[in-house]
PDB file of all heavy atoms in Angstrom:
ATOM      1  N   GLU F 172      50.058 -86.392  62.567  1.00  0.00           N
ATOM      2  CA  GLU F 172      50.787 -85.111  62.621  1.00  0.00           C
ATOM      3  C   GLU F 172      51.609 -84.931  61.338  1.00  0.00           C
ATOM      4  O   GLU F 172      52.290 -85.843  60.953  1.00  0.00           O
ATOM      5  CB  GLU F 172      51.683 -85.119  63.838  1.00  0.00           C
ATOM      6  CG  GLU F 172      52.163 -83.742  64.250  1.00  0.00           C
ATOM      7  CD  GLU F 172      52.922 -83.768  65.564  1.00  0.00           C
ATOM      8  OE1 GLU F 172      52.220 -83.795  66.605  1.00  0.00           O
ATOM      9  OE2 GLU F 172      54.156 -83.914  65.595  1.00  0.00           O
ATOM     10  N   GLY F 173      51.558 -83.764  60.779  1.00  0.00           N
ATOM     11  CA  GLY F 173      52.271 -83.509  59.538  1.00  0.00           C
ATOM     12  C   GLY F 173      51.706 -82.289  58.826  1.00  0.00           C
ATOM     13  O   GLY F 173      50.797 -81.660  59.295  1.00  0.00           O
ATOM     14  N   GLU F 174      52.205 -82.080  57.642  1.00  0.00           N
ATOM     15  CA  GLU F 174      51.844 -80.852  56.927  1.00  0.00           C
ATOM     16  C   GLU F 174      50.308 -80.771  56.650  1.00  0.00           C
ATOM     17  O   GLU F 174      49.663 -79.742  56.811  1.00  0.00           O
ATOM     18  CB  GLU F 174      52.594 -80.743  55.579  1.00  0.00           C
ATOM     19  CG  GLU F 174      52.259 -79.446  54.841  1.00  0.00           C
ATOM     20  CD  GLU F 174      52.946 -79.345  53.492  1.00  0.00           C
ATOM     21  OE1 GLU F 174      53.841 -80.135  53.240  1.00  0.00           O
ATOM     22  OE2 GLU F 174      52.553 -78.446  52.709  1.00  0.00           O
ATOM     23  N   ALA F 176      47.691 -82.226  58.202  1.00  0.00           N
ATOM     24  CA  ALA F 176      46.850 -81.977  59.365  1.00  0.00           C
ATOM     25  C   ALA F 176      47.087 -80.532  59.835  1.00  0.00           C
ATOM     26  O   ALA F 176      46.116 -79.889  60.271  1.00  0.00           O
ATOM     27  CB  ALA F 176      47.251 -82.944  60.450  1.00  0.00           C
ATOM     28  N   THR F 177      48.306 -80.023  59.733  1.00  0.00           N
ATOM     29  CA  THR F 177      48.569 -78.623  60.137  1.00  0.00           C
ATOM     30  C   THR F 177      47.846 -77.661  59.267  1.00  0.00           C
ATOM     31  O   THR F 177      47.212 -76.727  59.719  1.00  0.00           O
ATOM     32  CB  THR F 177      50.102 -78.376  60.144  1.00  0.00           C
ATOM     33  OG1 THR F 177      50.643 -79.138  61.192  1.00  0.00           O
ATOM     34  CG2 THR F 177      50.404 -76.911  60.332  1.00  0.00           C
ATOM     35  N   ARG F 178      47.896 -77.859  57.952  1.00  0.00           N
ATOM     36  CA  ARG F 178      47.178 -76.977  57.016  1.00  0.00           C
ATOM     37  C   ARG F 178      45.656 -76.984  57.264  1.00  0.00           C
ATOM     38  O   ARG F 178      44.975 -75.972  57.148  1.00  0.00           O
ATOM     39  CB  ARG F 178      47.495 -77.333  55.598  1.00  0.00           C
ATOM     40  CG  ARG F 178      48.824 -76.889  55.131  1.00  0.00           C
ATOM     41  CD  ARG F 178      49.038 -77.163  53.624  1.00  0.00           C
ATOM     42  NE  ARG F 178      50.367 -76.804  53.217  1.00  0.00           N
ATOM     43  CZ  ARG F 178      50.742 -75.603  52.838  1.00  0.00           C
ATOM     44  NH1 ARG F 178      49.881 -74.622  52.785  1.00  0.00           N
ATOM     45  NH2 ARG F 178      51.960 -75.334  52.498  1.00  0.00           N
ATOM     46  N   LEU F 179      45.125 -78.208  57.547  1.00  0.00           N
ATOM     47  CA  LEU F 179      43.685 -78.336  57.691  1.00  0.00           C
ATOM     48  C   LEU F 179      43.223 -77.949  59.105  1.00  0.00           C
ATOM     49  O   LEU F 179      42.040 -77.811  59.316  1.00  0.00           O
ATOM     50  CB  LEU F 179      43.273 -79.741  57.375  1.00  0.00           C
ATOM     51  CG  LEU F 179      43.442 -80.233  55.928  1.00  0.00           C
ATOM     52  CD1 LEU F 179      43.012 -81.699  55.788  1.00  0.00           C
ATOM     53  CD2 LEU F 179      42.610 -79.357  55.000  1.00  0.00           C
ATOM     54  N   GLY F 180      44.159 -77.780  60.019  1.00  0.00           N
ATOM     55  CA  GLY F 180      43.753 -77.407  61.380  1.00  0.00           C
ATOM     56  C   GLY F 180      43.032 -78.562  62.072  1.00  0.00           C
ATOM     57  O   GLY F 180      42.022 -78.387  62.742  1.00  0.00           O
ATOM     58  N   LEU F 181      43.533 -79.793  61.896  1.00  0.00           N
ATOM     59  CA  LEU F 181      42.923 -80.973  62.529  1.00  0.00           C
ATOM     60  C   LEU F 181      43.796 -81.456  63.685  1.00  0.00           C
ATOM     61  O   LEU F 181      45.015 -81.397  63.635  1.00  0.00           O
ATOM     62  CB  LEU F 181      42.790 -82.088  61.471  1.00  0.00           C
ATOM     63  CG  LEU F 181      41.820 -81.815  60.313  1.00  0.00           C
ATOM     64  CD1 LEU F 181      41.916 -82.937  59.279  1.00  0.00           C
ATOM     65  CD2 LEU F 181      40.395 -81.691  60.857  1.00  0.00           C
ATOM     66  N   ALA F 182      43.107 -81.911  64.710  1.00  0.00           N
ATOM     67  CA  ALA F 182      43.830 -82.540  65.861  1.00  0.00           C
ATOM     68  C   ALA F 182      44.596 -83.731  65.359  1.00  0.00           C
ATOM     69  O   ALA F 182      44.039 -84.648  64.751  1.00  0.00           O
ATOM     70  CB  ALA F 182      42.838 -82.931  66.941  1.00  0.00           C
ATOM     71  N   ALA F 183      45.873 -83.749  65.628  1.00  0.00           N
ATOM     72  CA  ALA F 183      46.742 -84.786  65.070  1.00  0.00           C
ATOM     73  C   ALA F 183      47.622 -85.451  66.092  1.00  0.00           C
ATOM     74  O   ALA F 183      47.939 -84.834  67.095  1.00  0.00           O
ATOM     75  CB  ALA F 183      47.637 -84.158  63.965  1.00  0.00           C
ATOM     76  N   ASP F 249      40.862 -81.334  51.691  1.00  0.00           N
ATOM     77  CA  ASP F 249      39.448 -81.018  51.371  1.00  0.00           C
ATOM     78  C   ASP F 249      38.525 -81.721  52.356  1.00  0.00           C
ATOM     79  O   ASP F 249      37.342 -81.847  52.087  1.00  0.00           O
ATOM     80  CB  ASP F 249      39.077 -81.432  49.966  1.00  0.00           C
ATOM     81  CG  ASP F 249      39.607 -80.365  48.951  1.00  0.00           C
ATOM     82  OD1 ASP F 249      39.768 -79.225  49.372  1.00  0.00           O
ATOM     83  OD2 ASP F 249      39.792 -80.749  47.785  1.00  0.00           O
ATOM     84  N   PHE F 250      39.091 -82.180  53.453  1.00  0.00           N
ATOM     85  CA  PHE F 250      38.254 -82.726  54.534  1.00  0.00           C
ATOM     86  C   PHE F 250      37.409 -83.938  54.012  1.00  0.00           C
ATOM     87  O   PHE F 250      36.229 -84.015  54.350  1.00  0.00           O
ATOM     88  CB  PHE F 250      37.391 -81.674  55.156  1.00  0.00           C
ATOM     89  CG  PHE F 250      38.104 -80.497  55.757  1.00  0.00           C
ATOM     90  CD1 PHE F 250      38.234 -79.317  55.025  1.00  0.00           C
ATOM     91  CD2 PHE F 250      38.745 -80.623  56.966  1.00  0.00           C
ATOM     92  CE1 PHE F 250      38.933 -78.237  55.550  1.00  0.00           C
ATOM     93  CE2 PHE F 250      39.439 -79.536  57.528  1.00  0.00           C
ATOM     94  CZ  PHE F 250      39.563 -78.319  56.788  1.00  0.00           C
ATOM     95  N   PRO F 290      25.512 -91.816  55.710  1.00  0.00           N
ATOM     96  CA  PRO F 290      25.723 -90.328  55.672  1.00  0.00           C
ATOM     97  C   PRO F 290      25.591 -89.697  57.065  1.00  0.00           C
ATOM     98  O   PRO F 290      26.292 -88.721  57.323  1.00  0.00           O
ATOM     99  CB  PRO F 290      24.606 -89.834  54.749  1.00  0.00           C
ATOM    100  CG  PRO F 290      23.824 -90.970  54.300  1.00  0.00           C
ATOM    101  CD  PRO F 290      24.497 -92.252  54.758  1.00  0.00           C
ATOM    102  N   GLU F 291      24.797 -90.299  57.903  1.00  0.00           N
ATOM    103  CA  GLU F 291      24.639 -89.712  59.279  1.00  0.00           C
ATOM    104  C   GLU F 291      25.919 -89.767  60.058  1.00  0.00           C
ATOM    105  O   GLU F 291      26.153 -89.013  60.962  1.00  0.00           O
ATOM    106  CB  GLU F 291      23.458 -90.393  60.036  1.00  0.00           C
ATOM    107  CG  GLU F 291      23.708 -91.841  60.455  1.00  0.00           C
ATOM    108  CD  GLU F 291      23.633 -92.846  59.339  1.00  0.00           C
ATOM    109  OE1 GLU F 291      23.223 -92.447  58.200  1.00  0.00           O
ATOM    110  OE2 GLU F 291      23.977 -94.031  59.527  1.00  0.00           O
ATOM    111  N   ARG F 294      28.591 -87.613  56.610  1.00  0.00           N
ATOM    112  CA  ARG F 294      28.335 -86.291  56.005  1.00  0.00           C
ATOM    113  C   ARG F 294      28.447 -85.241  57.124  1.00  0.00           C
ATOM    114  O   ARG F 294      27.441 -84.605  57.454  1.00  0.00           O
ATOM    115  CB  ARG F 294      26.968 -86.283  55.328  1.00  0.00           C
ATOM    116  CG  ARG F 294      27.119 -86.324  53.809  1.00  0.00           C
ATOM    117  CD  ARG F 294      25.798 -86.414  53.168  1.00  0.00           C
ATOM    118  NE  ARG F 294      24.854 -85.365  53.615  1.00  0.00           N
ATOM    119  CZ  ARG F 294      23.625 -85.243  53.183  1.00  0.00           C
ATOM    120  NH1 ARG F 294      23.148 -86.047  52.250  1.00  0.00           N
ATOM    121  NH2 ARG F 294      22.819 -84.312  53.645  1.00  0.00           N
ATOM    122  N   LEU F 295      29.615 -85.105  57.678  1.00  0.00           N
ATOM    123  CA  LEU F 295      29.879 -84.287  58.834  1.00  0.00           C
ATOM    124  C   LEU F 295      31.155 -83.571  58.657  1.00  0.00           C
ATOM    125  O   LEU F 295      31.961 -83.977  57.830  1.00  0.00           O
ATOM    126  CB  LEU F 295      29.947 -85.165  60.073  1.00  0.00           C
ATOM    127  CG  LEU F 295      28.698 -85.988  60.540  1.00  0.00           C
ATOM    128  CD1 LEU F 295      29.054 -86.848  61.684  1.00  0.00           C
ATOM    129  CD2 LEU F 295      27.584 -84.998  60.941  1.00  0.00           C
ATOM    130  N   PRO F 296      31.411 -82.544  59.435  1.00  0.00           N
ATOM    131  CA  PRO F 296      32.760 -82.007  59.483  1.00  0.00           C
ATOM    132  C   PRO F 296      33.755 -83.150  59.839  1.00  0.00           C
ATOM    133  O   PRO F 296      33.420 -84.054  60.562  1.00  0.00           O
ATOM    134  CB  PRO F 296      32.744 -80.980  60.614  1.00  0.00           C
ATOM    135  CG  PRO F 296      31.280 -80.559  60.664  1.00  0.00           C
ATOM    136  CD  PRO F 296      30.524 -81.826  60.356  1.00  0.00           C
ATOM    137  N   PHE F 297      34.965 -83.076  59.264  1.00  0.00           N
ATOM    138  CA  PHE F 297      35.891 -84.191  59.328  1.00  0.00           C
ATOM    139  C   PHE F 297      36.053 -84.773  60.750  1.00  0.00           C
ATOM    140  O   PHE F 297      36.000 -85.961  60.943  1.00  0.00           O
ATOM    141  CB  PHE F 297      37.257 -83.701  58.821  1.00  0.00           C
ATOM    142  CG  PHE F 297      38.234 -84.793  58.552  1.00  0.00           C
ATOM    143  CD1 PHE F 297      38.213 -85.529  57.366  1.00  0.00           C
ATOM    144  CD2 PHE F 297      39.132 -85.180  59.527  1.00  0.00           C
ATOM    145  CE1 PHE F 297      39.102 -86.563  57.131  1.00  0.00           C
ATOM    146  CE2 PHE F 297      40.033 -86.238  59.326  1.00  0.00           C
ATOM    147  CZ  PHE F 297      40.036 -86.948  58.128  1.00  0.00           C
ATOM    148  N   ALA F 298      36.305 -83.911  61.693  1.00  0.00           N
ATOM    149  CA  ALA F 298      36.606 -84.382  63.040  1.00  0.00           C
ATOM    150  C   ALA F 298      35.371 -85.001  63.676  1.00  0.00           C
ATOM    151  O   ALA F 298      35.487 -85.832  64.605  1.00  0.00           O
ATOM    152  CB  ALA F 298      37.125 -83.240  63.939  1.00  0.00           C
ATOM    153  N   ASP F 299      34.202 -84.637  63.264  1.00  0.00           N
ATOM    154  CA  ASP F 299      32.971 -85.205  63.840  1.00  0.00           C
ATOM    155  C   ASP F 299      32.515 -86.518  63.180  1.00  0.00           C
ATOM    156  O   ASP F 299      31.643 -87.196  63.684  1.00  0.00           O
ATOM    157  CB  ASP F 299      31.835 -84.171  63.729  1.00  0.00           C
ATOM    158  CG  ASP F 299      32.192 -82.844  64.400  1.00  0.00           C
ATOM    159  OD1 ASP F 299      33.000 -82.848  65.320  1.00  0.00           O
ATOM    160  OD2 ASP F 299      31.679 -81.786  64.001  1.00  0.00           O
TER     161      ASP F 299
ATOM    162  N   LYS Y 100      25.643 -80.087  67.566  1.00  0.00           N
ATOM    163  CA  LYS Y 100      26.763 -81.002  67.646  1.00  0.00           C
ATOM    164  C   LYS Y 100      26.561 -82.166  66.673  1.00  0.00           C
ATOM    165  O   LYS Y 100      27.505 -82.670  66.052  1.00  0.00           O
ATOM    166  CB  LYS Y 100      26.912 -81.512  69.071  1.00  0.00           C
ATOM    167  CG  LYS Y 100      28.214 -82.172  69.350  1.00  0.00           C
ATOM    168  CD  LYS Y 100      29.410 -81.227  69.281  1.00  0.00           C
ATOM    169  CE  LYS Y 100      30.703 -82.013  69.255  1.00  0.00           C
ATOM    170  NZ  LYS Y 100      31.787 -81.248  68.615  1.00  0.00           N
ATOM    171  N   GLY Y 102      25.791 -83.871  63.365  1.00  0.00           N
ATOM    172  CA  GLY Y 102      26.091 -83.359  62.020  1.00  0.00           C
ATOM    173  C   GLY Y 102      24.931 -83.188  61.059  1.00  0.00           C
ATOM    174  O   GLY Y 102      24.838 -82.246  60.316  1.00  0.00           O
ATOM    175  N   GLU Y 103      23.959 -84.129  61.040  1.00  0.00           N
ATOM    176  CA  GLU Y 103      22.870 -83.976  60.165  1.00  0.00           C
ATOM    177  C   GLU Y 103      22.251 -82.617  60.364  1.00  0.00           C
ATOM    178  O   GLU Y 103      21.775 -82.000  59.443  1.00  0.00           O
ATOM    179  CB  GLU Y 103      21.818 -85.126  60.285  1.00  0.00           C
ATOM    180  CG  GLU Y 103      21.904 -86.193  59.279  1.00  0.00           C
ATOM    181  CD  GLU Y 103      21.982 -85.748  57.870  1.00  0.00           C
ATOM    182  OE1 GLU Y 103      21.513 -84.654  57.456  1.00  0.00           O
ATOM    183  OE2 GLU Y 103      22.557 -86.456  57.047  1.00  0.00           O
ATOM    184  N   LEU Y 105      23.669 -79.970  61.070  1.00  0.00           N
ATOM    185  CA  LEU Y 105      24.491 -78.946  60.399  1.00  0.00           C
ATOM    186  C   LEU Y 105      24.063 -78.876  58.908  1.00  0.00           C
ATOM    187  O   LEU Y 105      23.837 -77.794  58.370  1.00  0.00           O
ATOM    188  CB  LEU Y 105      25.960 -79.218  60.512  1.00  0.00           C
ATOM    189  CG  LEU Y 105      26.898 -78.276  59.830  1.00  0.00           C
ATOM    190  CD1 LEU Y 105      26.771 -76.850  60.405  1.00  0.00           C
ATOM    191  CD2 LEU Y 105      28.341 -78.737  59.915  1.00  0.00           C
ATOM    192  N   ILE Y 106      23.999 -80.021  58.259  1.00  0.00           N
ATOM    193  CA  ILE Y 106      23.594 -80.067  56.858  1.00  0.00           C
ATOM    194  C   ILE Y 106      22.145 -79.550  56.754  1.00  0.00           C
ATOM    195  O   ILE Y 106      21.820 -78.799  55.846  1.00  0.00           O
ATOM    196  CB  ILE Y 106      23.698 -81.491  56.315  1.00  0.00           C
ATOM    197  CG1 ILE Y 106      25.167 -81.937  56.372  1.00  0.00           C
ATOM    198  CG2 ILE Y 106      23.132 -81.576  54.888  1.00  0.00           C
ATOM    199  CD1 ILE Y 106      25.975 -81.723  55.141  1.00  0.00           C
ATOM    200  N   SER Y 126      34.171 -76.692  64.131  1.00  0.00           N
ATOM    201  CA  SER Y 126      34.847 -77.818  63.514  1.00  0.00           C
ATOM    202  C   SER Y 126      35.640 -77.342  62.218  1.00  0.00           C
ATOM    203  O   SER Y 126      34.994 -76.731  61.364  1.00  0.00           O
ATOM    204  CB  SER Y 126      33.913 -78.904  63.122  1.00  0.00           C
ATOM    205  OG  SER Y 126      33.608 -79.697  64.253  1.00  0.00           O
ATOM    206  N   SER Y 127      36.825 -77.708  62.113  1.00  0.00           N
ATOM    207  CA  SER Y 127      37.607 -77.454  60.884  1.00  0.00           C
ATOM    208  C   SER Y 127      36.912 -78.088  59.709  1.00  0.00           C
ATOM    209  O   SER Y 127      36.522 -79.238  59.764  1.00  0.00           O
ATOM    210  CB  SER Y 127      39.020 -78.001  61.025  1.00  0.00           C
ATOM    211  OG  SER Y 127      39.719 -77.404  62.136  1.00  0.00           O
ATOM    212  N   GLY Y 128      36.724 -77.329  58.655  1.00  0.00           N
ATOM    213  CA  GLY Y 128      36.103 -77.869  57.447  1.00  0.00           C
ATOM    214  C   GLY Y 128      34.596 -77.733  57.419  1.00  0.00           C
ATOM    215  O   GLY Y 128      33.989 -77.984  56.375  1.00  0.00           O
ATOM    216  N   ALA Y 129      33.949 -77.319  58.514  1.00  0.00           N
ATOM    217  CA  ALA Y 129      32.507 -77.237  58.544  1.00  0.00           C
ATOM    218  C   ALA Y 129      31.967 -76.203  57.550  1.00  0.00           C
ATOM    219  O   ALA Y 129      30.944 -76.417  56.929  1.00  0.00           O
ATOM    220  CB  ALA Y 129      32.023 -76.915  59.979  1.00  0.00           C
ATOM    221  N   GLN Y 131      33.288 -75.262  54.702  1.00  0.00           N
ATOM    222  CA  GLN Y 131      33.392 -75.823  53.360  1.00  0.00           C
ATOM    223  C   GLN Y 131      32.250 -76.790  53.108  1.00  0.00           C
ATOM    224  O   GLN Y 131      31.642 -76.855  52.040  1.00  0.00           O
ATOM    225  CB  GLN Y 131      34.722 -76.582  53.258  1.00  0.00           C
ATOM    226  CG  GLN Y 131      35.466 -76.326  51.963  1.00  0.00           C
ATOM    227  CD  GLN Y 131      36.913 -76.751  52.143  1.00  0.00           C
ATOM    228  OE1 GLN Y 131      37.663 -76.074  52.886  1.00  0.00           O
ATOM    229  NE2 GLN Y 131      37.282 -77.817  51.501  1.00  0.00           N
ATOM    230  N   LEU Y 132      31.884 -77.584  54.114  1.00  0.00           N
ATOM    231  CA  LEU Y 132      30.841 -78.590  53.986  1.00  0.00           C
ATOM    232  C   LEU Y 132      29.504 -77.842  53.731  1.00  0.00           C
ATOM    233  O   LEU Y 132      28.746 -78.218  52.794  1.00  0.00           O
ATOM    234  CB  LEU Y 132      30.729 -79.369  55.271  1.00  0.00           C
ATOM    235  CG  LEU Y 132      29.687 -80.472  55.340  1.00  0.00           C
ATOM    236  CD1 LEU Y 132      30.057 -81.581  54.366  1.00  0.00           C
ATOM    237  CD2 LEU Y 132      29.588 -81.066  56.733  1.00  0.00           C
ATOM    238  N   TRP Y 148      40.198 -74.930  63.909  1.00  0.00           N
ATOM    239  CA  TRP Y 148      41.574 -74.396  63.941  1.00  0.00           C
ATOM    240  C   TRP Y 148      42.045 -74.130  62.503  1.00  0.00           C
ATOM    241  O   TRP Y 148      43.175 -73.899  62.276  1.00  0.00           O
ATOM    242  CB  TRP Y 148      42.514 -75.455  64.532  1.00  0.00           C
ATOM    243  CG  TRP Y 148      42.068 -76.065  65.856  1.00  0.00           C
ATOM    244  CD1 TRP Y 148      41.148 -75.596  66.718  1.00  0.00           C
ATOM    245  CD2 TRP Y 148      42.621 -77.247  66.454  1.00  0.00           C
ATOM    246  NE1 TRP Y 148      41.065 -76.385  67.816  1.00  0.00           N
ATOM    247  CE2 TRP Y 148      41.921 -77.430  67.640  1.00  0.00           C
ATOM    248  CE3 TRP Y 148      43.595 -78.168  66.059  1.00  0.00           C
ATOM    249  CZ2 TRP Y 148      42.232 -78.515  68.518  1.00  0.00           C
ATOM    250  CZ3 TRP Y 148      43.884 -79.235  66.927  1.00  0.00           C
ATOM    251  CH2 TRP Y 148      43.216 -79.399  68.133  1.00  0.00           C
ATOM    252  N   HIS Y 149      41.101 -74.151  61.582  1.00  0.00           N
ATOM    253  CA  HIS Y 149      41.449 -74.213  60.180  1.00  0.00           C
ATOM    254  C   HIS Y 149      41.772 -72.823  59.596  1.00  0.00           C
ATOM    255  O   HIS Y 149      42.926 -72.477  59.385  1.00  0.00           O
ATOM    256  CB  HIS Y 149      40.386 -74.910  59.383  1.00  0.00           C
ATOM    257  CG  HIS Y 149      40.598 -74.956  57.889  1.00  0.00           C
ATOM    258  ND1 HIS Y 149      39.606 -74.737  57.003  1.00  0.00           N
ATOM    259  CD2 HIS Y 149      41.687 -75.225  57.199  1.00  0.00           C
ATOM    260  CE1 HIS Y 149      40.087 -74.838  55.784  1.00  0.00           C
ATOM    261  NE2 HIS Y 149      41.338 -75.182  55.839  1.00  0.00           N
ATOM    262  N   ARG Y 187      46.879 -69.678  61.043  1.00  0.00           N
ATOM    263  CA  ARG Y 187      46.943 -70.383  59.783  1.00  0.00           C
ATOM    264  C   ARG Y 187      46.614 -69.467  58.581  1.00  0.00           C
ATOM    265  O   ARG Y 187      47.306 -69.407  57.588  1.00  0.00           O
ATOM    266  CB  ARG Y 187      46.000 -71.598  59.787  1.00  0.00           C
ATOM    267  CG  ARG Y 187      46.636 -72.773  60.526  1.00  0.00           C
ATOM    268  CD  ARG Y 187      45.709 -73.948  60.602  1.00  0.00           C
ATOM    269  NE  ARG Y 187      46.310 -75.076  61.332  1.00  0.00           N
ATOM    270  CZ  ARG Y 187      46.492 -75.133  62.647  1.00  0.00           C
ATOM    271  NH1 ARG Y 187      46.063 -74.176  63.427  1.00  0.00           N
ATOM    272  NH2 ARG Y 187      47.094 -76.206  63.169  1.00  0.00           N
ATOM    273  N   LEU Y 191      49.234 -68.070  55.568  1.00  0.00           N
ATOM    274  CA  LEU Y 191      48.941 -68.203  54.159  1.00  0.00           C
ATOM    275  C   LEU Y 191      48.945 -66.842  53.455  1.00  0.00           C
ATOM    276  O   LEU Y 191      49.548 -66.686  52.382  1.00  0.00           O
ATOM    277  CB  LEU Y 191      47.609 -68.903  53.933  1.00  0.00           C
ATOM    278  CG  LEU Y 191      47.535 -70.390  54.377  1.00  0.00           C
ATOM    279  CD1 LEU Y 191      46.095 -70.874  54.443  1.00  0.00           C
ATOM    280  CD2 LEU Y 191      48.351 -71.270  53.379  1.00  0.00           C
ATOM    281  N   PRO Y 210      52.165 -76.676  65.958  1.00  0.00           N
ATOM    282  CA  PRO Y 210      51.709 -77.753  65.133  1.00  0.00           C
ATOM    283  C   PRO Y 210      52.864 -78.409  64.401  1.00  0.00           C
ATOM    284  O   PRO Y 210      53.872 -77.744  64.122  1.00  0.00           O
ATOM    285  CB  PRO Y 210      50.707 -77.138  64.185  1.00  0.00           C
ATOM    286  CG  PRO Y 210      50.943 -75.682  64.229  1.00  0.00           C
ATOM    287  CD  PRO Y 210      51.685 -75.319  65.487  1.00  0.00           C
ATOM    288  N   GLY Y 211      52.726 -79.689  64.066  1.00  0.00           N
ATOM    289  CA  GLY Y 211      53.784 -80.416  63.368  1.00  0.00           C
ATOM    290  C   GLY Y 211      54.001 -79.887  61.942  1.00  0.00           C
ATOM    291  O   GLY Y 211      53.098 -79.426  61.292  1.00  0.00           O
ATOM    292  N   ALA Y 212      55.279 -79.953  61.517  1.00  0.00           N
ATOM    293  CA  ALA Y 212      55.618 -79.635  60.143  1.00  0.00           C
ATOM    294  C   ALA Y 212      55.160 -78.256  59.703  1.00  0.00           C
ATOM    295  O   ALA Y 212      54.871 -78.046  58.536  1.00  0.00           O
ATOM    296  CB  ALA Y 212      55.026 -80.710  59.159  1.00  0.00           C
ATOM    297  N   ILE Y 213      55.129 -77.307  60.619  1.00  0.00           N
ATOM    298  CA  ILE Y 213      54.669 -75.966  60.306  1.00  0.00           C
ATOM    299  C   ILE Y 213      55.550 -75.284  59.250  1.00  0.00           C
ATOM    300  O   ILE Y 213      55.125 -74.457  58.512  1.00  0.00           O
ATOM    301  CB  ILE Y 213      54.550 -75.106  61.610  1.00  0.00           C
ATOM    302  CG1 ILE Y 213      53.879 -73.744  61.340  1.00  0.00           C
ATOM    303  CG2 ILE Y 213      55.904 -74.886  62.237  1.00  0.00           C
ATOM    304  CD1 ILE Y 213      52.393 -73.800  61.278  1.00  0.00           C
ATOM    305  N   ALA Y 215      56.623 -76.395  56.654  1.00  0.00           N
ATOM    306  CA  ALA Y 215      56.137 -76.715  55.292  1.00  0.00           C
ATOM    307  C   ALA Y 215      55.207 -75.603  54.796  1.00  0.00           C
ATOM    308  O   ALA Y 215      54.970 -75.535  53.563  1.00  0.00           O
ATOM    309  CB  ALA Y 215      55.452 -78.092  55.260  1.00  0.00           C
ATOM    310  N   MET Y 216      54.731 -74.732  55.659  1.00  0.00           N
ATOM    311  CA  MET Y 216      53.903 -73.631  55.250  1.00  0.00           C
ATOM    312  C   MET Y 216      54.691 -72.388  54.885  1.00  0.00           C
ATOM    313  O   MET Y 216      54.174 -71.320  54.659  1.00  0.00           O
ATOM    314  CB  MET Y 216      52.839 -73.325  56.279  1.00  0.00           C
ATOM    315  CG  MET Y 216      51.842 -74.429  56.471  1.00  0.00           C
ATOM    316  SD  MET Y 216      50.498 -74.010  57.666  1.00  0.00           S
ATOM    317  CE  MET Y 216      49.429 -73.006  56.627  1.00  0.00           C
TER     318      MET Y 216
END
Side-chain angles (χ1 to χ4, degrees):
Chain F
E172 196 172 277
E174 181 183 349
T177 290
R178 283 185 184 275
L179 295 178
L181 294 173
D249 282 334
F250 302 101
E291 68 287 352
R294 255 177 50 182
L295 296 175
F297 192 86
D299 304 332
Chain Y
K100 192 68 192 155
E103 258 313 331
L105 179 62
I106 298 266
S126 279
S127 299
Q131 224 163 291
L132 183 67
W148 310 344
H149 178 224
R187 281 175 179 78
L191 291 166
I213 187 80
M216 294 184 78

